[in-house]
Each structure stands twice: as C-alpha cells, then as structure tokens.
C-alpha cells in the first residue's frame, strides 16, 4: 500500500490515502456462496486477500499490513480483537451484513476504526424466509416430504391452519418487520405490532400497535424482527413465554440472542409454545456456516463431532422445530446488493467522504 509499509503506521490514511487499486484489504470468512461478493471486491480492490478463516483473536494477525477488513455476521469484533486489529494498522471494518451486535462499537470508535455496514440489502429476502418457516411449520412441509420419501402417503398428524383471519404478532417494525407485516396482511391476517418507535407505513397497512404483553397474549404466531440489543436480549424468556397464547408459533430470523433457548425448550416441552422456526441461534458462532456433517469421520468411535451443541441438538430433535442455518439473507438479489454497497462503502472510506452506512456508538 502506498506510503504505508508498516502495520504500525497508524496514521497512514491521513497522510497518504490509498487508491482503490492499492487498498490492502483482508476478506474474512469467505465461503463458496461469497464468490460473487468477493469477485466484485477484487474488481475494485485487486490487492485484497481472500481468507476462509473466521476472524477471532487467533486469526486477527492475518490482517497485518491491511488498512481495511471485510467480515461476516459471526466474526468476532470484541474489544480484544479490535485492539489487535488496531495494532496491525486496520482503520476500517466493513461488514457484509446489516446486524452489528458482534462489534464493540464503543471500542472501535475509541481506536479510530471506522465501521461500515450494509444496512438494507434486501429486507424482502429476510421477511420472506420468516414466512417460509411459518408456512413450513404450519403446513408440516418437512414432515410430509420425509414421509412420502418413505412411501407413506397418510395424512395423519398433518393438519395445519388457515393463515387468513389468524392474529400474528410482529416484534420490530423496521425494514424487515414492515415487509413481513405486508406479506401477512396479504394473507388476510390480523397483524399486531410492537416497537419502541411507531412506523406510519405499517399503521397505514392496517397493522395495530399494541404493548408487547398484548401482542404475546393475542398472537397465534410471533415473529421477531428487532435487532439484538441489551434491551432485546432474551425478549423471549420464561416470563414472556408464560404470557403467550397457549400453543403459539415463534419465528426468529433476527438474532439468536433474542431467545432464551433453555426457556423455549421448556416451553416446547410443556406445549405452551406450539412450534418454533429459527434461522438464528444464540450460540451459533462456531457452529453455523460450517459443514459439521463429516467432522467425526476421522475419530473412530466418535458418534458426535467435538464441540457438538447439545442444546441445539435438543431443539433440532423436537418434532415441531425447524432450524435453518442463518440463511434468511441468502438470495442472489441480496448478495448483489451486499457486493455493490460494500464496494461503495470502501470507496467512500478511501475518499475520506462521509459514509451514510457508518455505525456510530450509542449516545
Ligand atoms: P431496522 O433497524 O430497519 O429495524 C429494527 C426495528 O427494531 C426498528 O424499528 C427498531 O425501532 C426496533 N427495535 C429496537 N429496539 C426494540 C425493542 N426493544 N423492542 C421492539 N423493537 C425494537 O432493522 P432491519 O433491517 O429490519 O433488521 C432487523 C434485524 O434483522 C437486524 O438487526 C438483524 O439482526 C436481523 N437480520 C437477520 C438476517 C438473517 O439472515 N437472518 C439478515 C438481516 C438482518
């Protein structure tokens, strides 16, 4: 990189801004489905290093000599990792995602590291996946498919319910919650919504803002669309589960930490919760995005892979639970938007201009 040969020259951007061609960029956690995003990044930043390693304390050193890094949802951006990155000269972190709950924003700000995200690549993709989980659970799609594969065409135990006329609760009415609410209104559902801010467009669709307690008590389906914040961590907990309508379906495509997993398992066992669809899991880091299917093959006698998550195993073994591996965002449309916004974010950083996608510390 021009004028910045040492990783410890912390002020290199201020003294000699790199050109896009020169930007030393490390792209972490690259998987096959990232090929399009990586290709677009390489077109603009040909010196980028492409790494399949996730970012954590042990791998931060791979960012040595890099001015910027690009990371995904489960990469570790705790204060400890940020301190290491700052030492290696990293000045900018770009996220290939919207949520930033794994970034210690306060520490990044203190270290003078700019954090840029992709705030809205496709709210439709995520909302539509929430509806896919809802419909698959309601109409027992997975159970029915596995039965017919075995030659069993019996209908016993496959009774679903009409979505039309049902009451659905949407928690968080930002971009994704609004899309989910619109689809649900299209089904003819009564949609109750809860948020700390009211969204006029959501009200205009005929959705009704109520307290969280009322939403829990009246909804047959509860769909979570708020970010993971201290105020929303374990918003689904033993108390909130006790307030739900008996047998309610819970859908979480937002962040795993919104749900107290142990409490939900208890709720499923007691049938207070009727079913659960989850694309995210509170302990998903180190489990999701990895093919664990063959991990015990080279350990004779080992029946389960090392590090097997028994809580997740219990959830997945439950007949009324559907788990997908944090893939709600994964549409080609969303991937293309992630790529173009990430390239723009990095160009704005290089040009030193204001970036609308900068994540600021809480006031
Ligand atoms: P957004 O910022 O547009 O909307 C979030 C909404 O949550 C806002 O209206 C906000 O006021 C509300 N909120 C904040 N605190 C709340 C609280 N205590 N109670 C109720 N509502 C509260 O965000 P978005 O684009 O709609 O995304 C929502 C979340 O979805 C993201 O934060 C991210 O965690 C998750 N997400 C998941 C995937 C996936 O692939 N599974 C992809 C993208 C986003």
């Amino acid at each position: 990189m021009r004028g910045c040969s040492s990783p410890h020259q912390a002020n290199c951007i201020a003294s000699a801004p790199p050109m896009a061609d020169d930007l030393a960029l490390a792209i972490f956690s690259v998987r096959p489905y990232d090929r399009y995003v990586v290709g677009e990044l390489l077109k603009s930043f040909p010196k980028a290093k492409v790494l399949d390693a996730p970012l954590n304390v042990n791998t931060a050193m791979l960012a040595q000599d890099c001015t910027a890094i690009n990371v995904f949802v489960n990469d570790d951006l705790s204060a400890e990792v940020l301190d290491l990155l700052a030492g290696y000269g990293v000045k900018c972190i770009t996220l290939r995602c919207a949520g930033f709950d794994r970034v210690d924003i306060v520490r990044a700000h203190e270290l003078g590291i700019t954090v840029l995200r992709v705030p809205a690549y496709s709210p439709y993709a995520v909302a539509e996946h929430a509806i896919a989980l809802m419909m698959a659970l309601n109409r027992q799609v997975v159970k029915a498919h596995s039965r017919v594969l075995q030659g069993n065409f019996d209908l016993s135990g496959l009774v679903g319910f009409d979505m039309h006329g049902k009451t659905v609760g949407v928690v968080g009415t930002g971009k994704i919650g609004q899309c989910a609410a619109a689809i649900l209104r299209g089904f003819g559902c009564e949609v109750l919504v809860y948020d700390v801010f009211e969204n006029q467009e959501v009200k205009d669709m005929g959705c009704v803002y109520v307290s969280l307690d009322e939403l829990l008590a009246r909804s047959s389906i509860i769909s979570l669309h708020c970010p993971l914040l201290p105020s929303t961590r374990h918003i689904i907990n033993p108390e909130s589960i006790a307030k739900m309508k008996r047998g309610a379906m819970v859908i979480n495509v937002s962040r795993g930490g919104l749900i107290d997993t142990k409490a939900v398992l208890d709720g499923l066992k007691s049938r207070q919760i009727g079913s659960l669809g989850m694309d995210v899991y509170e302990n998903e880091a180190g489990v999701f995005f990895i093919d664990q299917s063959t991990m015990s093959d080279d350990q004779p006698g080992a029946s389960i892979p090392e590090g097997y998550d028994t809580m997740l195993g219990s959830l997945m073994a439950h007949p009324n639970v559907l788990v997908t591996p944090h893939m709600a965002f994964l549409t080609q449309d969303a991937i293309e938007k992630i790529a173009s916004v990430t390239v723009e974010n990095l160009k704005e950083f290089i040009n030193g201009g204001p970036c609308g996608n900068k994540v600021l510390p809480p006031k």
Side-chain angles (χ1 to χ4, degrees):
M1 188 183 63
R2 184 180 301 153
C4 186
S5 54
S6 157
H8 302 293
Q9 282 176 281
N11 294 324
C12 58
I13 281 288
S15 54
M19 304 293 286
D21 275 359
D22 291 341
L23 181 72
L25 170 70
I27 311 171
F28 282 88
S29 294
V30 172
R31 292 283 176 274
Y33 49 80
D34 290 312
R35 198 179 305 130
Y36 181 86
V37 178
V38 169
E40 291 302 299
L41 283 169
L42 284 170
K43 275 187 212 162
S44 295
F45 312 107
K47 292 197 176 155
K49 271 200 272 190
V50 181
L51 306 163
D52 60 2
L55 174 63
N56 55 43
V57 277
N58 300 317
T59 60
M61 67 180 70
L62 295 168
Q64 189 145 8
D65 292 326
C66 289
T67 305
I69 62 168
N70 180 252
V71 298
F72 196 43
V73 275
N74 285 336
D75 284 313
D76 178 359
L77 289 149
S78 58
E80 195 181 1
V81 176
L82 291 170
D83 287 346
L84 290 170
L85 293 173
Y88 294 131
V90 171
K91 307 294 284 177
C92 176
I93 296 169
T94 52
L95 308 173
R96 305 197 286 283
C97 56
F100 50 89
D101 43 277
R102 286 183 63 84
V103 188
D104 188 328
I105 294 296
V106 173
R107 188 69 189 137
H109 190 69
E110 286 165 1
L111 293 165
I113 297 177
T114 301
V115 179
L116 305 170
R117 67 178 181 132
V118 185
Y121 43 84
S122 173
Y124 309 104
V126 185
E128 288 166 13
H129 193 77
I131 306 297
L133 289 176
M134 237 175 248
M135 293 309 295
L137 281 168
N138 171 14
R139 303 309 299 267
Q140 319 254 21
V141 174
V142 177
K143 196 195 280 185
H145 180 65
S146 62
R147 271 193 197 179
V148 298
L149 287 179
Q150 292 168 16
N152 178 355
F153 294 86
D154 181 29
L155 301 186
S156 312
L158 297 180
V159 179
F161 55 80
D162 286 10
M163 291 295 286
H164 183 91
K166 292 295 176 298
T167 300
V168 182
V170 172
V171 178
T173 53
K175 294 176 283 296
I176 296 170
Q178 178 173 341
C179 288
I183 300 169
L184 292 163
R185 289 294 291 153
F187 277 139
C189 297
E190 178 190 18
V191 180
L192 302 179
V193 288
Y194 169 73
D195 197 309
V196 285
F197 297 108
E198 294 195 355
N199 176 339
Q200 188 57 45
E201 288 180 45
V202 170
K203 278 184 173 178
D204 293 344
M205 298 173 195
C207 303
V208 180
Y209 278 93
V210 294
S211 67
L212 181 59
D213 281 1
E214 185 176 347
L215 182 150
L216 294 170
R218 290 180 51 200
S219 301
S220 298
I221 302 173
I222 297 157
S223 195
L224 304 176
H225 299 286
C226 53
L228 179 59
L229 301 168
S231 60
T232 60
R233 179 173 291 279
H234 288 183
I235 196 167
I236 301 300
N237 56 44
E239 292 73 40
S240 54
I241 291 169
K243 289 173 185 165
M244 286 178 193
K245 187 171 170 178
R246 187 159 175 81
M249 177 192 293
V250 177
I251 300 289
N252 185 12
V253 297
S254 203
R255 282 293 179 269
L258 297 180
I259 286 184
D260 174 345
T261 311
K262 163 84 175 58
V264 161
L265 264 172
D266 291 343
L268 284 159
K269 276 184 208 148
S270 71
R271 302 194 182 189
Q272 172 64 3
I273 294 179
S275 55
L276 168 70
M278 48 183 256
D279 185 51
V280 285
Y281 168 55
E282 62 179 329
N283 303 320
E284 70 178 48
V287 179
F288 281 23
F289 309 129
I290 299 166
D291 179 1
Q292 308 227 0
S293 63
T294 55
M295 281 170 86
S296 60
D297 285 358
D298 52 358
Q299 302 163 30
S303 55
I304 53 172
E306 207 182 311
Y308 179 78
D309 188 313
T310 46
M311 189 119 81
L312 182 60
S314 304
L315 273 176
M316 292 191 300
H318 201 285
N320 296 340
V321 173
L322 201 49
V323 180
T324 51
H326 204 142
M327 58 176 282
F329 72 98
L330 197 60
T331 65
Q332 185 59 30
D333 312 75
I335 286 169
E336 287 172 16
K337 191 76 192 282
I338 289 169
S340 63
V341 174
T342 302
V343 168
E344 273 320 299
N345 282 346
L346 279 162
K347 286 186 175 168
E348 283 180 7
F349 167 74
I350 289 170
N351 295 332
C355 185
N357 296 331
K358 185 170 174 174
V359 184
L360 297 171
K363 291 201 177 108

